[in-house]
Amino acid sequence: MATAAARDTAGGPTAYDAPADPGDAAALQSAFDAAVAADERIEPRDWMPDAYRATLVRQIAQHAHSEIIGMQPEANWITRAPSLRRKAILMAKVQDEAGHGLYLYSAAETLGVSRDELLDKLHAGRQKYSSIFNYPTLTWADVGAIGWLVDGAAITNQVPLCRCSYGPYARAMVRICKEESFHQRQGYELLLALSKGTPEQHAMAQDAVDRWWWPSLMMFGPPDDESQHSAQSMAWKIKRHSNDELRQRFVDICVPQAESLGLTLPDPDLRWNEERGHYDFGAIDWPEFWEVLKGNGPCNEQRLSRRRKAHEEGAWVRDAAAAHAAKHRNDTTGATRA
Amino acid sequence: MTTTPPADTVPTAAALALGDDALVLSHRLGEWAGHAPVLEEEVALANIALDLLGQARLLLSMAGDEDELAFLREERAFRNLQLVEQPNGDFAHTIARQLYFSVYQHLLHGRLASGEGPFAPLAGKAVKEAAYHRDHAEQWTLRLGDGTDESHARMQRAVDVLWRYTGEMFQPVEGIDDVDWSALERTWLEVIEDVLRRATLTVPKGPRSGAWRAGAGRQGLHTEPFGRMLAEMQHLHRSHPGATW
């Protein structure tokens, strides 16, 4: 890759230090810029601008946190799933999300931070997770709406990330997107079963879509003119499309799907625009979005408390594992095997 | 399911007993989702829960309709061991329950898999899963028992508290004829004693006869937390009679 020559062959933490000589700095920067321009992948030991590293840490950590916090609204229904088949699907999905969190924390760790450090920041409220998970799952149909809409929005956002300039993130996204699209189809199929079921089930499905539609559109982030990181992220090829572009793409995909589900979307302004070749849609409630982001959504407190509680109550278990490993570090037969 | 033998050849009581064990323990493990001490355990506990749910679905389908059996029977009609319905408690309680049950299940399915009975094909698959579950439980028993003072005390308490429910596992199950239950029990005790000793834990001393008497769970006599667990599990299904999901 183009920055290979610029790589610090010594490795380790010194690879992250800024070069002492300003001439070197310019050479490193231009090698990095050339690699990005040529659509090459930046790898962990390549030189990269500090701001690029910081942006990636922020974004990948937030993404990992979203997977972990995102387990909660769905896990809320594992013990109440109405059939054994649905229960198995839901458990598998929540398990996949924990796995996605693990991939993403690993990707973040290639940038010189640790999972523990990132989790501490999440628990302290100093790093965010997706605003969507601050909404409650009130009925079983919400599990389907999350699969169809929330995972659908996530995929729309994440598929372009498979081509992101940072190699470890792009590769994590390839694996994650495969599983996400499976989840999304399952959510759609769940809603379809409800929509074609009894009148009560149909109403349950419609109510869930009514509650999750707008929060799903908010998942694409603020409008382009208010998105503080967008321009730089696009220049670095971390992002490939603007928030509004992706949001439009999502709406265009969802409208026909809602029709085939036999459900409506809660937007009186939603209509096909022949001239643009896209669906026009109504105004998003941005004050609500910013409130949720600030911590004032319906479940922010609950989600974070639950996460902290799991972490705190698990401390003795993690301590035990560490103590056991330390005691048996020199066992020749392997850590704990008989 | 294509592998299901014809209904008249399946001993229903046995399919329910083994199926209910797997169903109920799977449910308990599902309660851990989002609460585990480390992310790796979120994955592991859900994985074990899924394996067990898969076993439960096959077994219950051998006895009838899996959803009718899971969601429309009342507490007194369930045939699971009292051990598997015990609440999760702390992580040590969950691990102790897993240790006791997974060793039992591994040994039992090993016997069934090598036999000629109707459960042999299922047991052949389940024994591989149970081996993994057993390894997971043994490793954690060692880590917690031989970890810190606190983890040692918690693990000791957990194995002590759940000890009383271990005798019922070796009461003969109606419809399973090719298992020597006393031999199974002797092997189980040897394995458990060995794991506990290596984990620096003391083998519990108390009775192993269960909350009523050994084998009561198999007759539908359960402990109090079980009814509440079923209320949660069955609520939605029961609220929409005849609906499909």
Side-chain angles (χ1 to χ4, degrees), chain A residues 198-217:
Chain A
T198 65
E200 291 78 13
Q201 287 176 304
H202 181 90
M204 191 191 279
Q206 184 62 60
D207 170 63
V209 169
D210 289 347
R211 283 182 286 110
W212 288 91
W213 173 248
W214 290 109
S216 300
L217 293 191

Short mmCIF file of all heavy atoms in Angstrom, two decimals, chain A residues 198-217:
data_model
loop_
_atom_site.label_atom_id
_atom_site.label_comp_id
_atom_site.label_asym_id
_atom_site.label_seq_id
_atom_site.Cartn_x
_atom_site.Cartn_y
_atom_site.Cartn_z
N THR A 198 -54.35 -12.18 12.84
CA THR A 198 -55.63 -11.72 13.35
C THR A 198 -55.69 -10.19 13.32
O THR A 198 -54.64 -9.54 13.20
CB THR A 198 -55.83 -12.18 14.80
OG1 THR A 198 -54.85 -11.52 15.61
CG2 THR A 198 -55.68 -13.69 14.95
N PRO A 199 -56.89 -9.61 13.42
CA PRO A 199 -56.97 -8.14 13.46
C PRO A 199 -56.13 -7.55 14.59
O PRO A 199 -55.50 -6.49 14.43
CB PRO A 199 -58.46 -7.87 13.70
CG PRO A 199 -59.16 -9.09 13.18
CD PRO A 199 -58.23 -10.24 13.40
N GLU A 200 -56.08 -8.24 15.72
CA GLU A 200 -55.26 -7.75 16.85
C GLU A 200 -53.78 -7.76 16.48
O GLU A 200 -53.04 -6.82 16.81
CB GLU A 200 -55.48 -8.61 18.10
CG GLU A 200 -56.84 -8.50 18.74
CD GLU A 200 -57.93 -9.30 18.02
OE1 GLU A 200 -57.59 -10.14 17.14
OE2 GLU A 200 -59.12 -9.06 18.31
N GLN A 201 -53.35 -8.81 15.80
CA GLN A 201 -51.94 -8.88 15.41
C GLN A 201 -51.62 -7.80 14.37
O GLN A 201 -50.56 -7.17 14.42
CB GLN A 201 -51.61 -10.26 14.83
CG GLN A 201 -51.55 -11.36 15.89
CD GLN A 201 -51.31 -12.72 15.26
OE1 GLN A 201 -52.07 -13.16 14.39
NE2 GLN A 201 -50.25 -13.41 15.66
N HIS A 202 -52.54 -7.59 13.43
CA HIS A 202 -52.31 -6.56 12.42
C HIS A 202 -52.18 -5.19 13.09
O HIS A 202 -51.28 -4.40 12.75
CB HIS A 202 -53.46 -6.56 11.41
CG HIS A 202 -53.28 -5.54 10.32
ND1 HIS A 202 -52.63 -5.83 9.13
CD2 HIS A 202 -53.62 -4.23 10.25
CE1 HIS A 202 -52.59 -4.73 8.39
NE2 HIS A 202 -53.19 -3.75 9.05
N ALA A 203 -53.07 -4.92 14.04
CA ALA A 203 -53.03 -3.62 14.73
C ALA A 203 -51.73 -3.47 15.51
O ALA A 203 -51.14 -2.37 15.57
CB ALA A 203 -54.23 -3.50 15.67
N MET A 204 -51.27 -4.56 16.07
CA MET A 204 -50.01 -4.53 16.82
C MET A 204 -48.85 -4.17 15.88
O MET A 204 -47.97 -3.35 16.23
CB MET A 204 -49.79 -5.93 17.43
CG MET A 204 -48.69 -6.05 18.44
SD MET A 204 -48.33 -7.81 18.84
CE MET A 204 -49.61 -8.16 20.01
N ALA A 205 -48.87 -4.75 14.68
CA ALA A 205 -47.80 -4.47 13.71
C ALA A 205 -47.85 -3.01 13.27
O ALA A 205 -46.82 -2.33 13.20
CB ALA A 205 -47.95 -5.40 12.50
N GLN A 206 -49.06 -2.52 12.99
CA GLN A 206 -49.19 -1.13 12.53
C GLN A 206 -48.73 -0.15 13.60
O GLN A 206 -48.01 0.82 13.31
CB GLN A 206 -50.65 -0.84 12.14
CG GLN A 206 -50.85 0.55 11.56
CD GLN A 206 -50.06 0.76 10.27
OE1 GLN A 206 -50.26 0.06 9.29
NE2 GLN A 206 -49.13 1.70 10.28
N ASP A 207 -49.12 -0.44 14.83
CA ASP A 207 -48.73 0.43 15.95
C ASP A 207 -47.20 0.48 16.09
O ASP A 207 -46.61 1.54 16.34
CB ASP A 207 -49.38 -0.10 17.23
CG ASP A 207 -48.84 0.58 18.48
OD1 ASP A 207 -49.01 1.81 18.60
OD2 ASP A 207 -48.22 -0.11 19.32
N ALA A 208 -46.56 -0.68 15.92
CA ALA A 208 -45.10 -0.72 16.06
C ALA A 208 -44.44 0.10 14.94
O ALA A 208 -43.52 0.88 15.20
CB ALA A 208 -44.61 -2.17 16.02
N VAL A 209 -44.93 -0.06 13.72
CA VAL A 209 -44.34 0.70 12.61
C VAL A 209 -44.58 2.20 12.82
O VAL A 209 -43.70 3.02 12.58
CB VAL A 209 -44.93 0.22 11.26
CG1 VAL A 209 -44.56 1.16 10.12
CG2 VAL A 209 -44.42 -1.20 10.96
N ASP A 210 -45.76 2.55 13.32
CA ASP A 210 -46.04 3.96 13.60
C ASP A 210 -45.02 4.53 14.61
O ASP A 210 -44.59 5.68 14.48
CB ASP A 210 -47.45 4.13 14.16
CG ASP A 210 -48.53 3.88 13.11
OD1 ASP A 210 -48.18 3.83 11.91
OD2 ASP A 210 -49.71 3.73 13.50
N ARG A 211 -44.66 3.75 15.59
CA ARG A 211 -43.74 4.26 16.61
C ARG A 211 -42.28 4.24 16.19
O ARG A 211 -41.47 5.02 16.68
CB ARG A 211 -43.92 3.49 17.93
CG ARG A 211 -45.18 3.91 18.70
CD ARG A 211 -45.32 3.17 20.03
NE ARG A 211 -45.72 1.79 19.83
CZ ARG A 211 -44.94 0.74 20.04
NH1 ARG A 211 -43.71 0.91 20.48
NH2 ARG A 211 -45.39 -0.47 19.82
N TRP A 212 -41.90 3.31 15.30
CA TRP A 212 -40.47 3.16 14.96
C TRP A 212 -40.06 3.88 13.68
O TRP A 212 -38.87 4.02 13.40
CB TRP A 212 -40.09 1.67 14.88
CG TRP A 212 -40.06 1.04 16.23
CD1 TRP A 212 -41.09 0.41 16.87
CD2 TRP A 212 -38.95 1.03 17.16
NE1 TRP A 212 -40.69 0.00 18.13
CE2 TRP A 212 -39.39 0.37 18.33
CE3 TRP A 212 -37.64 1.51 17.11
CZ2 TRP A 212 -38.57 0.18 19.44
CZ3 TRP A 212 -36.82 1.32 18.21
CH2 TRP A 212 -37.27 0.66 19.36
N TRP A 213 -41.03 4.31 12.88
CA TRP A 213 -40.67 4.91 11.58
C TRP A 213 -39.77 6.14 11.72
O TRP A 213 -38.67 6.20 11.19
CB TRP A 213 -41.93 5.23 10.79
CG TRP A 213 -41.66 6.00 9.52
CD1 TRP A 213 -42.00 7.28 9.26
CD2 TRP A 213 -40.96 5.51 8.35
NE1 TRP A 213 -41.59 7.64 8.00
CE2 TRP A 213 -40.94 6.58 7.42
CE3 TRP A 213 -40.37 4.30 8.01
CZ2 TRP A 213 -40.34 6.48 6.17
CZ3 TRP A 213 -39.77 4.19 6.76
CH2 TRP A 213 -39.76 5.27 5.86
N TRP A 214 -40.27 7.12 12.48
CA TRP A 214 -39.50 8.37 12.56
C TRP A 214 -38.16 8.20 13.27
O TRP A 214 -37.13 8.69 12.79
CB TRP A 214 -40.34 9.48 13.20
CG TRP A 214 -41.47 9.93 12.31
CD1 TRP A 214 -42.79 9.69 12.49
CD2 TRP A 214 -41.36 10.67 11.08
NE1 TRP A 214 -43.52 10.23 11.46
CE2 TRP A 214 -42.67 10.84 10.58
CE3 TRP A 214 -40.29 11.20 10.35
CZ2 TRP A 214 -42.93 11.52 9.39
CZ3 TRP A 214 -40.55 11.88 9.18
CH2 TRP A 214 -41.86 12.04 8.70
N PRO A 215 -38.14 7.48 14.41
CA PRO A 215 -36.82 7.24 15.01
C PRO A 215 -35.85 6.53 14.06
O PRO A 215 -34.64 6.80 14.11
CB PRO A 215 -37.15 6.36 16.23
CG PRO A 215 -38.56 6.76 16.59
CD PRO A 215 -39.23 7.02 15.27
N SER A 216 -36.36 5.68 13.17
CA SER A 216 -35.47 5.01 12.22
C SER A 216 -34.86 6.02 11.25
O SER A 216 -33.69 5.92 10.89
CB SER A 216 -36.21 3.93 11.44
OG SER A 216 -36.71 2.96 12.31
N LEU A 217 -35.69 6.97 10.81
CA LEU A 217 -35.15 7.99 9.89
C LEU A 217 -34.09 8.85 10.58
O LEU A 217 -33.16 9.35 9.93
CB LEU A 217 -36.28 8.89 9.36
CG LEU A 217 -37.32 8.24 8.45
CD1 LEU A 217 -38.20 9.31 7.81
CD2 LEU A 217 -36.67 7.39 7.37
#
